[in-house]
Each structure stands twice: as C-alpha cells, then as structure tokens.
Amino acid sequence: MHTTACKMKQRVAQFMAIGWFLFLSPLGSVVAVGGTNHVVWGCADFDGDSKADPAVFEESNGRWQVLLSMNNYAQASTTFGGSGYVAGIGDYDGDGKADPVVFNAATGQWQVMLSASGYATASMTLGGSGCVPVSGDFDGDGLDDPAVVSETTGQWQVKLSASGYAPASTTFGGVGYQPVIGDYDGDGKTDPAVYAETDPSTGSAGSPQAGSGQAGQWQVMLSASGYAPASLMFGGTGYQPVVGDFDGDRRVDPAIYREVDGTWSVKLSLYNYALVSMAGFGGEGDVPAVGDYDGDSRTDPAFYRESDAMVSVYFSGGNDVPGSFQETNVLHIATILATAVRAGDQAVALLYGKNDPEYNMTCLWWEVVSHAGTMLSDGPVRYQNVPVNGWASVALVMDAALEPHLFTGYYGNGMEHLYRSGTNWTNDVIGAQDQGSYDVKACIDPNGYFHVLNAAWDTDNTEILRVRYYSNRTGVWQDEEMSLTVGPSRWLVARDFVVDSSGNAHVVLSFQYHPSDDVTWPGTLYYLSNTGGTWFNEVVAYKTHSSWDSYFPNASLAVDSQGWPAVAVRLKYNVLTGSDALSQLVYYRRSGANAWTEEILADTADDYFGTDGGHFTGILPVLAFDNSGDAHIMFSDLASSHISGYESASWGQIRYARCTAGAWSLATLFRQSAAADEGIWSKYFMLSTDGRGLDVVARLYPDDCIVHFSSNRQTCFYFE
C-alpha cells in the first residue's frame, strides 16, 4: 500500500536512548526492550490489499514478522539485515506492495527486497555515519526515492527515481529536530518536514508560542509551493510526533501521542486544522504504530506493546464502520422484544417475552449477551413470585454489577421498582402513579442512582400533560411532577429520557395537534430539563405544511460529555388520508436557551423502497454519543407502495450515521431490499463508551425473531 495514499502517512524519527540507536521508520514505531530493537509498522501493505499489515523487525538477528491481512492475518517471516542495520519500508518498484529495506548507518549501504521481482535484492549506497533514512516519493512518480538526513547538520540527500536516481540535496532542520516527512499539501509528493520537542538551542521545554526554535514546532517545506517553509506550534515535552492522514483528504495531519496516559491529539487538515483528541488508548510502554488497517484511506490510531507482542488498533470513523457489522446470532424466535440496553461496556441486556405453559401466557424474561454474542445470564422476571406479563410496559436498567432493575406502573399500585435480592425478585413502590400513564423510561447515572420518567394526561384537563420524575439520587426516592400545557387535541406520539454525567434529567416529548379532520395537522417537539435546579421547557421544533400532516413519530435523545443535549428524530409528512408523503432523518442540537440547530441527515432510502419511491427514511432513530464526542445514530428505511388505493409499508434495513469533527457520514449495516420478507418492528442501539463497539438488538417480522447484530472487527494483532 505504499502508493500515494500511504506515502501521505509516512513518518521517520530518530531517538538516542540509553546507548541504543532507535529508528522510527515510515509509519513505524520502535521500542527497546532488553537491549533488542523492534521496529513496528502500520502503514506497510505487504500483500497489496490496501490494508496495513502489522509487521515487526528485530535488529539483533534481522528477523521480519508480518501479519498478512489478505490471508486472515496469518504470520509470514523472513531474515533480512541484522546487527548494524536499521529497517525501513517503501514501494520501490511501484507494484503497490511494501518492499523490505535495510540501511547500514556506518557504511550508507541500502538493500531492498523488491516484491515485483520475487523479492530479489537490490542495493545502493547513500548517506553514512550520522544519517538516518527518510525515503519517500519526493518526485511524485509513484516510486519511493532513497533519502537520508543528517541529524547533526540537517542535510537531506535524495536519489530521485524519476530522474534516473539523480542526487538532490538541501539543508533543513539539524540538532534537536527529528524528521516527520509526508505529503502535507496533497500534491502527491513527499515534503521534507521536521519536529522539535524542545528548544533546540537551549534544550529547555520552551513555550508553546509561534517563533523559531520553540517547543512542539513542526516545520515543513511544501513542494506544491516551491518548497516554501511553513510551521505549526503543536506538541512539546512528553509528546511524540505522529504523522497520518486521519481525515482522508490526502494530506498529512500533524498528530501527537503522550505515552504516559495514552492521549492522542490530531490537527485535521480537512477541517482547517481543527483539534480533536482522545485519551486512554495506550499507556506506559506503548508506542505508536498508526496505519490504514481497514483500507478506508484514513489513518487509524494504533500502538505496539512489546510485553504482549501486540498491535492494538482504534479504527477510524467516517465511512468506516468500527467493526465489520454482522448478525451475531438469533437470540429468540416467535417472541416479542420489550427493550434492550447496554450492560457494562462489552455486553447488552434485553427483556423479551417467553411463553410459559404453566401460566398460559407470554411472560417477561431478562437476558445478558456478550458483545460477541455469547449468552452470559438469563432468567424470568417475577412480581411477588408471579411472572410479569410479557406485554407490560417496563423500563430496564443494568447496574454496575450487571444486575437488572425494572420499573413499571403496570400493577396500578404506584411506580414499582423490581429487582433481584440474591436469586429472588423483590419490589417496592417508589412513587405515585397516574392513571393512564404508559411507556416508562429509566436511566442510571455515573454514581449508580436511578432516574425514572412517565407521563399521563390530566384526568380533569386534557390540555395538560403530567410528567412524573422519580429519582433516588438523594439516597431516598423522590417523586416530582411537572405539568406541561400543550393545548387541546394534542396527541403524545413519542418521548425519550436521559440523564447527564451530573445526574441532571433531560426529556424530549413529541406531540401532534389534531384540530379537525379537514385541515393539516402540525407537530411540535418539546425539550424539558432540570439542569438549572428547577424544571423548564422549550420548543425544539415546530413543523407544519400547507398540504400534508407534519409530526415527529420517533425521537431519540442523548447528551454529550459537556451536558449538551441533541435529538435524532424521524420527521414524517403524510397526506390527509394517512399515507406517507415524505420521511426524513433530522438532527437537532441545543446551542443555548431556546436555541436549536437543525440538520437533515438523510431524506432518501438506500435502495429500499416500493412503488411510491425512495423518499422515506429516518425510521426508529437511536442516538448516542461516545466519549470522544462523536454522535452515532442508527435508523431504518421505509418501503411504501399503494395497492388498490391503500398503502402497504414496511420498515427495514439498519443504517448508521456518524458525526466526526463536524462532518456526517452514512453507511448501511444490515442491507435488505423492498421485496425482503423480513422487516424491523423495533431496534435498540448500544454504543461502547469509546465508540468502537456497536450492538443492535432488533425484532424482525414476520417471524418475530430477536436478532443481535454487532461489530466484529479484530482490534488486536499478536506476533508469535
């Protein structure tokens, strides 16, 4: 994969540590353990499938080990080089495969195994003592050019393949600088670049201000601008430079990695060098090994851990799905799905109906399934030693011990909390219960306190919705009521409820106004919260149309790590007889008091439609934020056809929208056709906190089977 796309991700760095000569080759990393140097690559595509193959080189004996992605990461090995040689990679013959390279720093001898020639060895001399190799495609002909730089003088020497390997040289950098080459301007040529962690003139940390010789300074000679110099202040003491095309715009994005806590920060060129960061991926002893491991033309953060002989990869966002999404297993057949939630970060829990011949009814069972699809635990739900009806409105919450807690107003005694004491079920009334309430919602906050919500129309005034909120965050159960006056002839059509990291409640309610049968019906979306200590409400959106009914039949609410809410909704328009006219996936984000932004993310189906066309999507959206601030939405399409004047409609497919650095991308994870014999009745989306693990539990019709889908990409690669 050392084509232009990979060359944009190259990096070279040199370190001196405890007398060892450590060389960071293009997109590689080095760690020294027990006096043995290991060079690790992520960019190297040794088999030509456009995916990086994890590879290591052991300097003491010249052993190369490669895990070939095309062959299910089977390990291949060879011996090439050895003591006195440092290793590199590059596509020197232009066949799209990485060629192993070794360089003798004392003599300047290069040896290359050319993959296009059956790995025959070629050699040349360039550089010598004090030089490190920095090969790249400096002339843009698709072949890597041998190059070296002197760490003391800053002299660069290159043999240009497009000119019959004619020599060229320049001076750039010097003592205190390390090379970080790549294509920073997107012209297909490697640009000389250097990075200084500390002030090269004093050796001190310096300050993060612009100016020559300051800490964390990147300097680049841009080939597209006649090699004009450019600089960027980014990094400093404790950070390692990392180069890659993390946003897929064919330009290098400067990045830094802090080993002490596994913090990664990247300046994305596609977004005017906006800063994005994540923490906790890697740590002491883990060194960067970034590369395009999934073939989406975006660099994936990765690190190498010597103690485990392992490369761990954090797959990039955008059009890449974090995992090869697939059906893990069919959990149950011919039954109902009540709800599903995340159980820890590696499992999901669900409530489902199961026929109980003893009681001659469908009873409620709970179950925990691992991310990989293994059932971890299950059992019946009991209320006073009697099975709970499988059709009861029940909310499920899993605590830190992966124990289930259920909340329901089904029994009319008040809002009930059902939970296990040992292996037995017990229950208690946690607050009052309004007649006619339904669709209970519940959450658990980071401190382990429960929050419960339900709503019902006031029995004396049908213009008032009474919203009840229960919580034990003070140590005892409290019952609060909010009254929302929405006017006459309003129908409550959707709701959702979450709590933020501070334990504040956030609610979204969707209404449609039915004034009479001979006019169009508008829809309103409300937001309620107690973030200021008292409850308030505001209108998120109001939709009306001169010819069609308008409303939000599905709504999903989530709150990011900063406490800002967002809503993913299905905006539906239908003709006055009820048939669908248009359906869209719309995203609202709060930017201040009574201020919401609106984005239409999808307005057409992805090849899932009937005779009425493909303009129906956004069905059953589910929104979640990961700990990096990325928004994730699962939704479905609708296929509509009119037969003898009547609408025949089915929901299908599982589609995925993700927002990274302000840019949305769409993918279809579970693909169906308009003629598919399985549609989706309901689905629940669970996201791991780091955004890498996706789980969807869905109920498919007409067989009423419950299916678990999950991402299943290998994220750790081990060397023998």
Side-chain angles (χ1 to χ4, degrees), residues 457 461-465 484-491 513 526:
W457 292 105
N461 189 336
T462 57
E463 299 182 18
I464 298 176
L465 184 75
L484 183 65
T485 302
V486 295
S489 302
R490 297 279 182 171
W491 289 19
Y513 178 39
Y526 282 92

Side-chain angles (χ1 to χ4, degrees), residues 126-134 147-158 167-175 177 179 192 194 221:
L126 178 66
S129 180
C131 293
V132 293
V134 288
V148 295
V149 62
S150 169
E151 62 173 340
T152 56
T153 67
Q155 184 185 35
W156 295 64
Q157 301 177 61
V158 185
S169 64
T170 190
T171 300
F172 184 51
V175 176
Y177 290 95
V194 293
M221 297 177 66

